[in-house]
PDB file of all heavy atoms in Angstrom:
ATOM      1  N   PHE X  55      60.537 123.869  88.588  1.00 87.00           N
ATOM      2  CA  PHE X  55      61.713 124.719  88.484  1.00 87.00           C
ATOM      3  C   PHE X  55      62.838 124.170  89.324  1.00 87.00           C
ATOM      4  O   PHE X  55      63.961 124.123  88.887  1.00 87.00           O
ATOM      5  CB  PHE X  55      61.415 126.137  88.901  1.00 87.00           C
ATOM      6  CG  PHE X  55      62.564 127.116  88.866  1.00 87.00           C
ATOM      7  CD1 PHE X  55      63.032 127.548  87.693  1.00 87.00           C
ATOM      8  CD2 PHE X  55      63.198 127.496  90.068  1.00 87.00           C
ATOM      9  CE1 PHE X  55      64.128 128.374  87.646  1.00 87.00           C
ATOM     10  CE2 PHE X  55      64.266 128.300  90.027  1.00 87.00           C
ATOM     11  CZ  PHE X  55      64.768 128.780  88.793  1.00 87.00           C
ATOM     12  N   ALA X  56      62.524 123.726  90.537  1.00 84.00           N
ATOM     13  CA  ALA X  56      63.604 123.201  91.439  1.00 84.00           C
ATOM     14  C   ALA X  56      64.153 121.916  90.822  1.00 84.00           C
ATOM     15  O   ALA X  56      65.367 121.654  90.916  1.00 84.00           O
ATOM     16  CB  ALA X  56      63.075 122.976  92.829  1.00 84.00           C
ATOM     17  N   ALA X  57      63.306 121.102  90.219  1.00 85.00           N
ATOM     18  CA  ALA X  57      63.763 119.840  89.627  1.00 85.00           C
ATOM     19  C   ALA X  57      64.685 120.086  88.482  1.00 85.00           C
ATOM     20  O   ALA X  57      65.665 119.473  88.282  1.00 85.00           O
ATOM     21  CB  ALA X  57      62.530 119.010  89.190  1.00 85.00           C
ATOM     22  N   ILE X  58      64.326 121.089  87.655  1.00 90.00           N
ATOM     23  CA  ILE X  58      65.135 121.477  86.518  1.00 90.00           C
ATOM     24  C   ILE X  58      66.477 121.980  86.951  1.00 90.00           C
ATOM     25  O   ILE X  58      67.522 121.630  86.447  1.00 90.00           O
ATOM     26  CB  ILE X  58      64.465 122.473  85.562  1.00 90.00           C
ATOM     27  CG1 ILE X  58      63.277 121.801  84.881  1.00 90.00           C
ATOM     28  CG2 ILE X  58      65.423 123.078  84.533  1.00 90.00           C
ATOM     29  CD1 ILE X  58      62.380 122.791  84.153  1.00 90.00           C
ATOM     30  N   MET X  59      66.490 122.857  87.940  1.00 89.00           N
ATOM     31  CA  MET X  59      67.724 123.435  88.497  1.00 89.00           C
ATOM     32  C   MET X  59      68.637 122.360  89.101  1.00 89.00           C
ATOM     33  O   MET X  59      69.816 122.311  88.924  1.00 89.00           O
ATOM     34  CB  MET X  59      67.470 124.516  89.544  1.00 89.00           C
ATOM     35  CG  MET X  59      66.796 125.775  88.940  1.00 89.00           C
ATOM     36  SD  MET X  59      67.753 126.437  87.554  1.00 89.00           S
ATOM     37  CE  MET X  59      69.168 127.037  88.317  1.00 89.00           C
ATOM     38  N   LEU X  60      68.008 121.460  89.826  1.00 90.00           N
ATOM     39  CA  LEU X  60      68.738 120.355  90.435  1.00 90.00           C
ATOM     40  C   LEU X  60      69.362 119.442  89.366  1.00 90.00           C
ATOM     41  O   LEU X  60      70.542 119.096  89.480  1.00 90.00           O
ATOM     42  CB  LEU X  60      67.849 119.512  91.363  1.00 90.00           C
ATOM     43  CG  LEU X  60      68.533 118.322  92.096  1.00 90.00           C
ATOM     44  CD1 LEU X  60      69.639 118.823  92.998  1.00 90.00           C
ATOM     45  CD2 LEU X  60      67.518 117.516  92.816  1.00 90.00           C
ATOM     46  N   SER X  61      68.599 119.159  88.273  1.00 91.00           N
ATOM     47  CA  SER X  61      69.185 118.382  87.181  1.00 91.00           C
ATOM     48  C   SER X  61      70.298 119.069  86.460  1.00 91.00           C
ATOM     49  O   SER X  61      71.269 118.483  86.066  1.00 91.00           O
ATOM     50  CB  SER X  61      68.104 117.951  86.228  1.00 91.00           C
ATOM     51  OG  SER X  61      67.540 119.057  85.639  1.00 91.00           O
ATOM     52  N   LEU X  62      70.167 120.436  86.324  1.00 92.00           N
ATOM     53  CA  LEU X  62      71.302 121.176  85.685  1.00 92.00           C
ATOM     54  C   LEU X  62      72.477 121.174  86.516  1.00 92.00           C
ATOM     55  O   LEU X  62      73.613 121.121  86.032  1.00 92.00           O
ATOM     56  CB  LEU X  62      70.812 122.625  85.397  1.00 92.00           C
ATOM     57  CG  LEU X  62      69.823 122.823  84.232  1.00 92.00           C
ATOM     58  CD1 LEU X  62      69.406 124.295  84.202  1.00 92.00           C
ATOM     59  CD2 LEU X  62      70.547 122.423  82.999  1.00 92.00           C
ATOM     60  N   VAL X  63      72.377 121.246  87.878  1.00 93.00           N
ATOM     61  CA  VAL X  63      73.547 121.239  88.783  1.00 93.00           C
ATOM     62  C   VAL X  63      74.227 119.859  88.675  1.00 93.00           C
ATOM     63  O   VAL X  63      75.441 119.769  88.579  1.00 93.00           O
ATOM     64  CB  VAL X  63      73.102 121.544  90.228  1.00 93.00           C
ATOM     65  CG1 VAL X  63      74.244 121.191  91.206  1.00 93.00           C
ATOM     66  CG2 VAL X  63      72.759 123.000  90.376  1.00 93.00           C
ATOM     67  N   VAL X  64      73.426 118.801  88.652  1.00 92.00           N
ATOM     68  CA  VAL X  64      74.029 117.463  88.614  1.00 92.00           C
ATOM     69  C   VAL X  64      74.721 117.290  87.187  1.00 92.00           C
ATOM     70  O   VAL X  64      75.814 116.780  87.114  1.00 92.00           O
ATOM     71  CB  VAL X  64      72.893 116.370  88.786  1.00 92.00           C
ATOM     72  CG1 VAL X  64      73.403 114.987  88.421  1.00 92.00           C
ATOM     73  CG2 VAL X  64      72.416 116.448  90.190  1.00 92.00           C
ATOM     74  N   LEU X  65      74.062 117.725  86.125  1.00 92.00           N
ATOM     75  CA  LEU X  65      74.643 117.612  84.799  1.00 92.00           C
ATOM     76  C   LEU X  65      75.972 118.435  84.752  1.00 92.00           C
ATOM     77  O   LEU X  65      76.942 117.982  84.146  1.00 92.00           O
ATOM     78  CB  LEU X  65      73.665 118.115  83.758  1.00 92.00           C
ATOM     79  CG  LEU X  65      74.149 118.064  82.285  1.00 92.00           C
ATOM     80  CD1 LEU X  65      74.393 116.634  81.875  1.00 92.00           C
ATOM     81  CD2 LEU X  65      73.176 118.737  81.327  1.00 92.00           C
ATOM     82  N   GLY X  66      75.887 119.670  85.249  1.00 88.00           N
ATOM     83  CA  GLY X  66      77.126 120.496  85.246  1.00 88.00           C
ATOM     84  C   GLY X  66      78.233 119.858  86.024  1.00 88.00           C
ATOM     85  O   GLY X  66      79.398 119.909  85.573  1.00 88.00           O
ATOM     86  N   THR X  67      77.969 119.279  87.172  1.00 88.00           N
ATOM     87  CA  THR X  67      78.971 118.603  87.928  1.00 88.00           C
ATOM     88  C   THR X  67      79.525 117.421  87.150  1.00 88.00           C
ATOM     89  O   THR X  67      80.739 117.183  87.113  1.00 88.00           O
ATOM     90  CB  THR X  67      78.432 118.144  89.296  1.00 88.00           C
ATOM     91  OG1 THR X  67      77.848 119.250  89.952  1.00 88.00           O
ATOM     92  CG2 THR X  67      79.499 117.489  90.115  1.00 88.00           C
ATOM     93  N   TRP X  68      78.588 116.647  86.509  1.00 88.00           N
ATOM     94  CA  TRP X  68      79.019 115.481  85.755  1.00 88.00           C
ATOM     95  C   TRP X  68      79.926 115.890  84.622  1.00 88.00           C
ATOM     96  O   TRP X  68      80.881 115.145  84.226  1.00 88.00           O
ATOM     97  CB  TRP X  68      77.808 114.784  85.276  1.00 88.00           C
ATOM     98  CG  TRP X  68      78.117 113.524  84.581  1.00 88.00           C
ATOM     99  CD1 TRP X  68      78.650 112.358  85.102  1.00 88.00           C
ATOM    100  CD2 TRP X  68      77.816 113.217  83.255  1.00 88.00           C
ATOM    101  NE1 TRP X  68      78.750 111.437  84.179  1.00 88.00           N
ATOM    102  CE2 TRP X  68      78.205 111.867  82.962  1.00 88.00           C
ATOM    103  CE3 TRP X  68      77.236 113.941  82.167  1.00 88.00           C
ATOM    104  CZ2 TRP X  68      78.122 111.268  81.718  1.00 88.00           C
ATOM    105  CZ3 TRP X  68      77.104 113.337  80.899  1.00 88.00           C
ATOM    106  CH2 TRP X  68      77.518 111.993  80.738  1.00 88.00           C
ATOM    107  N   VAL X  69      79.713 117.050  83.999  1.00 86.00           N
ATOM    108  CA  VAL X  69      80.537 117.482  82.852  1.00 86.00           C
ATOM    109  C   VAL X  69      81.875 118.113  83.332  1.00 86.00           C
ATOM    110  O   VAL X  69      82.921 117.909  82.727  1.00 86.00           O
ATOM    111  CB  VAL X  69      79.739 118.489  82.028  1.00 86.00           C
ATOM    112  CG1 VAL X  69      80.595 119.185  80.977  1.00 86.00           C
ATOM    113  CG2 VAL X  69      78.582 117.770  81.305  1.00 86.00           C
ATOM    114  N   LEU X  70      81.836 118.922  84.420  1.00 84.00           N
ATOM    115  CA  LEU X  70      82.961 119.678  84.814  1.00 84.00           C
ATOM    116  C   LEU X  70      83.996 118.925  85.623  1.00 84.00           C
ATOM    117  O   LEU X  70      85.180 119.209  85.552  1.00 84.00           O
ATOM    118  CB  LEU X  70      82.532 120.917  85.581  1.00 84.00           C
ATOM    119  CG  LEU X  70      81.858 122.060  84.770  1.00 84.00           C
ATOM    120  CD1 LEU X  70      81.415 123.170  85.628  1.00 84.00           C
ATOM    121  CD2 LEU X  70      82.784 122.511  83.664  1.00 84.00           C
ATOM    122  N   VAL X  71      83.633 117.918  86.384  1.00 85.00           N
ATOM    123  CA  VAL X  71      84.589 117.239  87.259  1.00 85.00           C
ATOM    124  C   VAL X  71      85.763 116.599  86.401  1.00 85.00           C
ATOM    125  O   VAL X  71      86.897 116.786  86.730  1.00 85.00           O
ATOM    126  CB  VAL X  71      83.877 116.249  88.185  1.00 85.00           C
ATOM    127  CG1 VAL X  71      84.869 115.303  88.841  1.00 85.00           C
ATOM    128  CG2 VAL X  71      83.115 117.008  89.221  1.00 85.00           C
ATOM    129  N   PRO X  72      85.430 115.869  85.373  1.00 86.00           N
ATOM    130  CA  PRO X  72      86.576 115.351  84.560  1.00 86.00           C
ATOM    131  C   PRO X  72      87.427 116.400  83.967  1.00 86.00           C
ATOM    132  O   PRO X  72      88.611 116.280  83.820  1.00 86.00           O
ATOM    133  CB  PRO X  72      85.879 114.422  83.495  1.00 86.00           C
ATOM    134  CG  PRO X  72      84.500 114.146  84.027  1.00 86.00           C
ATOM    135  CD  PRO X  72      84.136 115.351  84.895  1.00 86.00           C
ATOM    136  N   THR X  73      86.780 117.467  83.500  1.00 86.00           N
ATOM    137  CA  THR X  73      87.551 118.617  82.872  1.00 86.00           C
ATOM    138  C   THR X  73      88.462 119.236  83.854  1.00 86.00           C
ATOM    139  O   THR X  73      89.590 119.499  83.555  1.00 86.00           O
ATOM    140  CB  THR X  73      86.528 119.630  82.310  1.00 86.00           C
ATOM    141  OG1 THR X  73      85.599 118.978  81.497  1.00 86.00           O
ATOM    142  CG2 THR X  73      87.230 120.713  81.512  1.00 86.00           C
ATOM    143  N   VAL X  74      88.013 119.445  85.075  1.00 86.00           N
ATOM    144  CA  VAL X  74      88.863 120.057  86.110  1.00 86.00           C
ATOM    145  C   VAL X  74      90.031 119.097  86.465  1.00 86.00           C
ATOM    146  O   VAL X  74      91.158 119.526  86.613  1.00 86.00           O
ATOM    147  CB  VAL X  74      88.003 120.419  87.356  1.00 86.00           C
ATOM    148  CG1 VAL X  74      88.991 120.824  88.512  1.00 86.00           C
ATOM    149  CG2 VAL X  74      87.082 121.496  87.046  1.00 86.00           C
ATOM    150  N   GLY X  75      89.717 117.755  86.553  1.00 86.00           N
ATOM    151  CA  GLY X  75      90.776 116.800  86.824  1.00 86.00           C
ATOM    152  C   GLY X  75      91.842 116.799  85.729  1.00 86.00           C
ATOM    153  O   GLY X  75      93.012 116.753  85.984  1.00 86.00           O
ATOM    154  N   THR X  76      91.434 116.874  84.457  1.00 90.00           N
ATOM    155  CA  THR X  76      92.345 116.931  83.364  1.00 90.00           C
ATOM    156  C   THR X  76      93.189 118.206  83.426  1.00 90.00           C
ATOM    157  O   THR X  76      94.413 118.170  83.179  1.00 90.00           O
ATOM    158  CB  THR X  76      91.536 116.848  82.005  1.00 90.00           C
ATOM    159  OG1 THR X  76      90.775 115.677  81.961  1.00 90.00           O
ATOM    160  CG2 THR X  76      92.518 116.855  80.824  1.00 90.00           C
TER     161      THR X  76
END
Side-chain angles (χ1 to χ4, degrees):
F55 178 74
I58 291 172
M59 293 307 292
L60 182 63
S61 64
L62 285 176
V63 167
V64 169
L65 179 67
T67 304
W68 184 64
V69 169
L70 289 179
V71 166
T73 307
V74 170
T76 304

